[in-house]
Amino acid sequence: MRVTVAPYDPQWQTDFERVSRDLSIVLSGVDVLAVEHVGSTSVRDLPAKPIIDIDIVVRPDGLPRALAALELAGYVYQGELGINDRHAFKASDDQPRRNVYVCLDGCLALRNHLAVRETLRSNTDLRDEYASVKRALAEEDLGSIDDYVAGKTTVVQKILLAAGMSAEDLDSVAAANPVGRDRETRGPAYGRLMSHDR
């Protein structure tokens, strides 16, 4: 398989803003703390798979209402997909293609997403290194999406360390990720929790 990695497109931010407005209507009456644009499409000048990643942040007591509201609006609930406190939804349309997640405030997945986003926005060297790895992987025939995730392990680990992630959190991220082929080392794929690839 080949993974499509497209050059950065300002339309991604516009798409996020439109979906965020739609979600605010869907989730009216739900105590939503934030709707965050995360993943590579949220970082200017970073190539990405052209799929918008969105984290809806709620407190634990708001989770049932958020899940129910999204299902009522036509989103298909897919469960946590192995990542604690991050609930995945598939949209009923691809306008735009998107992954929507409901995350509990303070959970590791959310902290990870935000820390990596902010690090890549502020550290151009890491952003460019990550971009180079993603483009190289997009040129390869891969066995599965897990190979793509595993191929990013080394650079994503550097990003997480630069973001100040604790050793305990890094271990938790590693435990949540599949073992796969890595270009430089063989070990857990740190990228999945950050990048939403599945």
Side-chain angles (χ1 to χ4, degrees):
M1 66 163 284
R2 289 285 182 108
V3 173
T4 299
V5 174
Y8 177 78
D9 186 343
Q11 182 64 39
W12 294 336
Q13 179 63 29
T14 302
D15 288 342
F16 164 73
E17 291 167 0
R18 180 176 62 78
V19 173
S20 180
R21 287 192 299 271
D22 292 344
L23 287 170
S24 70
I25 296 169
V26 166
L27 295 164
S28 63
V30 177
D31 186 15
V32 173
L33 302 178
V35 178
E36 299 282 358
H37 186 188
V38 295
S40 293
T41 62
S42 70
V43 179
R44 182 170 292 280
D45 297 326
L46 181 64
K49 293 191 304 162
I51 302 171
I52 309 300
D53 293 317
I54 299 171
D55 283 353
I56 299 165
V57 186
V58 298
R59 295 184 184 90
D61 60 353
L63 180 63
R65 292 183 71 185
L67 301 183
L70 287 169
E71 285 190 293
L72 188 61
Y75 284 85
V76 178
Y77 182 54
Q78 297 182 300
E80 290 182 317
L81 300 177
I83 306 298
N84 291 337
D85 300 326
R86 187 199 73 178
H87 299 264
F89 282 86
K90 179 173 176 52
S92 60
D93 65 81
D94 284 337
Q95 302 301 318
R97 290 180 66 198
R98 61 199 181 275
N99 296 319
V100 175
Y101 302 92
V102 178
C103 298
L104 292 187
D105 187 31
C107 74
L108 177 59
L110 176 66
R111 288 185 287 115
N112 188 1
H113 299 166
L114 298 178
V116 171
R117 180 188 71 188
E118 295 310 308
T119 299
L120 291 175
R121 284 178 173 177
S122 63
N123 187 323
T124 56
D125 289 340
L126 278 176
R127 183 200 67 205
D128 292 346
E129 182 178 353
Y130 189 41
S132 178
V133 169
K134 287 159 65 87
R135 283 191 296 260
L137 287 166
E139 295 298 316
E140 293 189 25
D141 290 315
L142 302 171
S144 70
I145 194 67
D146 285 344
D147 286 343
Y148 175 73
V149 173
K152 299 187 299 178
T153 296
T154 301
V155 67
V156 171
Q157 185 176 13
K158 285 175 66 174
I159 295 164
L160 294 175
L161 289 170
M165 184 165 282
S166 70
E168 180 181 352
D169 282 349
L170 282 172
D171 288 344
S172 295
V173 171
N177 284 283
V179 174
R181 178 186 58 78
D182 188 344
R183 303 181 70 74
E184 297 176 29
T185 62
R186 296 191 68 80
Y190 283 79
R192 173 164 294 199
L193 194 56
M194 185 277 293
S195 67
H196 306 285
D197 294 320
R198 49 190 172 91

